[in-house]
């Protein structure tokens, strides 16, 4: 499965195969000499090397090497879907590019060379180093892996390559769209074909930064929604290069505390989901992605929050095709003053969020952009970072909703600036009263207190989403008293939450924390995480359902969203 966009005129080399590999536990990226390495193993790409048995849990540098035969004297571009945590790329022995953050795609340009054989070395380091990579730290509540996580290819480039096309809806019912084309060179002779229609010459307006703009009409427009996930394709052709993007005709906005899709209210019901599996780490295969979505759909879900980083483009393509609504957020977890007041961290956040919005712009499934999960949004030192991110996203995309998941509740400083209010809350689990023998009694009063507080603050006109809530349960743990860590306790808590969500018009949506159990802390933080897993999934790490699954299915499926 190749994710969109497709470049149909380019000679493309698929690099998803076995690469030479060596693990270096003591070396550092800035001291690496690839030409001196002796490769001792072969690993598949994509893979997280430290999820595989030979390197499980080891931290250091994993170096991947391959070679590809290309057309001499032809430039090309290496496309890496994701690699982490800190990455350095060498082309023909020359350090050519670096990258930080494990989940954003990146490209490496290869200038033309007279020889046909190009050697590619990708060095990936999974050690934490804030100075070099401020985006990832070891306090995160999900395991940080190393390796090349997502697909890799090399495309040979024409003289004036197309780079991207951004499709927005001008008129939903009429199917009129606006297209902004990012290309290297003039747009003379550019043609446009929608779906299986005939190519049509387009007359473009020139925009800054090598961009062109034109407007056109989809000949047989069909709206995209979870019930009818109709998709259209747009093919641009310059004669030497061609690109096909896929899009959907839909509109998302808010009104009186509700989310409207194509003018109709929709209640968002679903899960937070990590790209995670014990055997693959974050390098999950497409078959697992599809199976996850099938399990969610069987439970009556229409919504998935991609936690807590940019999602795999193939997963988003599946969400487009299957009709899931997506909350997409850039990589972050619980940052405080050290990070939020640091110019280097802020710049890295802006860079990766810009990449997320630009690369995933055409997915109709994405209706919400987010960032900075559970950051210190109640502190004045955070203002610059939060406001810059909100402004950046709105400048890049005025068609979607902007928010972030907060655990600062009514003390949060920036609720007035976002389109939705999203709270991560854990009443009945992280109990405020440790002597309470009935912690489930906290759940509904806490939700009510949040809604009352939002009304008093004057922001109840914004949709309210419970972006995380849940309880841990160890698969197979049953207890007649329905105590903590039992499947019974989790099921009872989620029954309260789901029933309140579907019946309370003041709640616009729910993303249960979480879909599947995930590996997390390996240090002393695991004392609060049995098995070194976050066990709040309603399925375990191997996707075996717990009791809560049937509860969620019964309530969500009865809603008839």
């Amino acid at each position: 499965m190749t994710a969109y966009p497709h470049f149909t005129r380019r000679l493309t080399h698929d690099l998803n195969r076995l690469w030479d590999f060596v693990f270096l536990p003591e070396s550092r990226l800035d001291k690496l000499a690839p030409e001196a390495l002796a490769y001792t193993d072969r690993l598949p790409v994509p893979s997280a090397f430290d999820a595989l048995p030979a390197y499980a849990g080891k931290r250091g540098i994993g170096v991947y090497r391959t070679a590809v035969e290309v057309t001499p004297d032809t430039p090309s571009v290496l496309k890496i879907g994701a690699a982490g945590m800190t990455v350095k790329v060498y082309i023909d022995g020359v350090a050519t590019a670096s990258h930080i953050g494990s989940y954003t795609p990146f490209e490496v340009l290869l200038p033309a060379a007279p020889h046909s054989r190009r050697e590619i070395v990708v060095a990936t380091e999974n050690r934490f180093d804030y100075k070099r990579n401020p985006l990832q730290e070891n306090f995160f509540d999900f395991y940080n892996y190393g390796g090349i996580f997502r697909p890799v290819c090399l495309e040979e480039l024409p003289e004036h390559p197309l780079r991207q096309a951004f499709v927005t809806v001008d008129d939903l019912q009429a199917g009129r769209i606006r297209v902004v084309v990012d290309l290297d060179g003039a747009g003379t002779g550019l043609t446009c074909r929608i779906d299986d229609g005939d190519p049509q010459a387009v007359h473009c307006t020139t925009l800054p930064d090598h961009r062109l703009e034109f407007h056109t009409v989809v000949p047989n427009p069909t709206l995209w929604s979870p019930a009818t996930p109709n998709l259209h394709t747009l093919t641009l052709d310059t004669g030497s290069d061609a690109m096909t993007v896929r899009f959907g005709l839909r509109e998302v906005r808010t009104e009186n505390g509700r989310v409207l899709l194509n003018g109709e209210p929709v209640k968002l019901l679903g899960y937070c989901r990590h790209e995670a599996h014990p055997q693959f780490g974050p390098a999950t295969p497409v078959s697992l992605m599809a199976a996850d979505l099938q399990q969610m759909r069987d439970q009556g879900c229409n919504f998935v929050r991609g936690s807590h980083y940019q999602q795999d483009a193939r997963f988003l393509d599946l969400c487009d095709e299957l009709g899931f609504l997506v909350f997409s957020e850039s990589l972050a977890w619980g940052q405080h003053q050290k990070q939020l007041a640091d110019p280097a961290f802020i710049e890295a956040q802006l860079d990766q969020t810009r990449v997320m919005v630009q690369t995933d712009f055409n997915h109709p499934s994405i209706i919400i952009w987010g960032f900075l999960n559970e950051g210190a949004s109640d502190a004045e030192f955070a203002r610059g970072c939060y406001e810059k991110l909100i402004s950046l996203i709105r400048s890049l995309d005025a068609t979607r909703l902007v928010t972030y998941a907060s655990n600062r509740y009514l003390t949060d400083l920036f609720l007035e600036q976002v389109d939705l209010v999203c709270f991560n809350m854990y009443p009945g689990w992280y109990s405020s009263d440790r002597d309470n023998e009935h912690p489930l009694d906290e759940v509904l009063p806490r939700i009510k207190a949040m809604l009352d507080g939002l009304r008093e603050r004057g922001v109840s006109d914004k949709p309210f989403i419970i972006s995380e809530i849940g309880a841990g349960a160890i698969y197979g743990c049953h207890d007649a008293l329905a105590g903590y860590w039992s499947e019974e306790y989790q099921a009872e808590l989620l029954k309260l939450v789901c029933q309140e969500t579907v019946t309370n018009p003041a709640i616009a949506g729910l993303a249960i924390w979480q879909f599947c159990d995930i590996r997390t802390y390996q240090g002393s933080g695991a004392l609060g995480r049995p098995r070194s897993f976050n066990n709040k999934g309603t399925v375990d790490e191997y996707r075996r359902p717990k009791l809560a699954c049937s509860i969620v299915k019964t309530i969500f499926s009865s809603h008839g969203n």
Side-chain angles (χ1 to χ4, degrees), residues 3-83:
Y4 283 89
H6 297 165
F7 291 87
T8 53
R9 285 189 181 272
R10 298 181 186 179
L11 179 57
T12 299
H13 304 271
D14 185 350
L15 301 183
N16 301 305
R17 59 197 188 199
L18 286 175
W19 290 40
D20 299 330
F21 182 82
V22 61
F23 177 68
L24 307 171
E26 304 298 334
S27 300
R28 299 194 64 83
L29 277 181
D30 56 355
K31 304 293 185 182
L32 197 65
E35 70 279 1
L37 296 180
Y39 292 85
T40 56
D41 205 348
R42 301 268 285 165
L43 290 191
V45 167
S47 66
F49 67 80
D50 45 347
L52 297 172
Y55 310 101
K58 295 182 179 180
R59 295 216 175 264
I61 298 176
V63 186
Y64 298 76
R65 180 184 68 175
T66 195
V68 58
E69 295 289 327
V70 301
T71 306
D73 301 314
T74 302
S76 55
V77 59
L78 176 69
K79 294 184 173 182
I80 299 178

Side-chain angles (χ1 to χ4, degrees), residues 453-509:
L454 293 174
R455 279 192 291 271
E456 292 171 9
R457 184 161 167 174
V459 293
S460 59
D461 59 322
K462 298 177 185 291
F464 171 67
I465 291 177
I466 302 174
S467 43
E468 290 184 22
I469 197 166
I474 307 298
Y475 178 79
C477 175
H478 297 284
D479 181 12
L481 299 184
Y484 267 35
W485 302 110
S486 70
E487 291 190 29
E488 287 81 5
Y489 185 85
Q490 182 190 51
E492 286 301 311
L493 187 148
L494 290 180
K495 181 179 180 180
L496 291 172
V497 172
C498 292
Q499 286 181 333
E500 181 67 12
T501 296
V502 301
T503 58
N504 190 335
I507 302 175

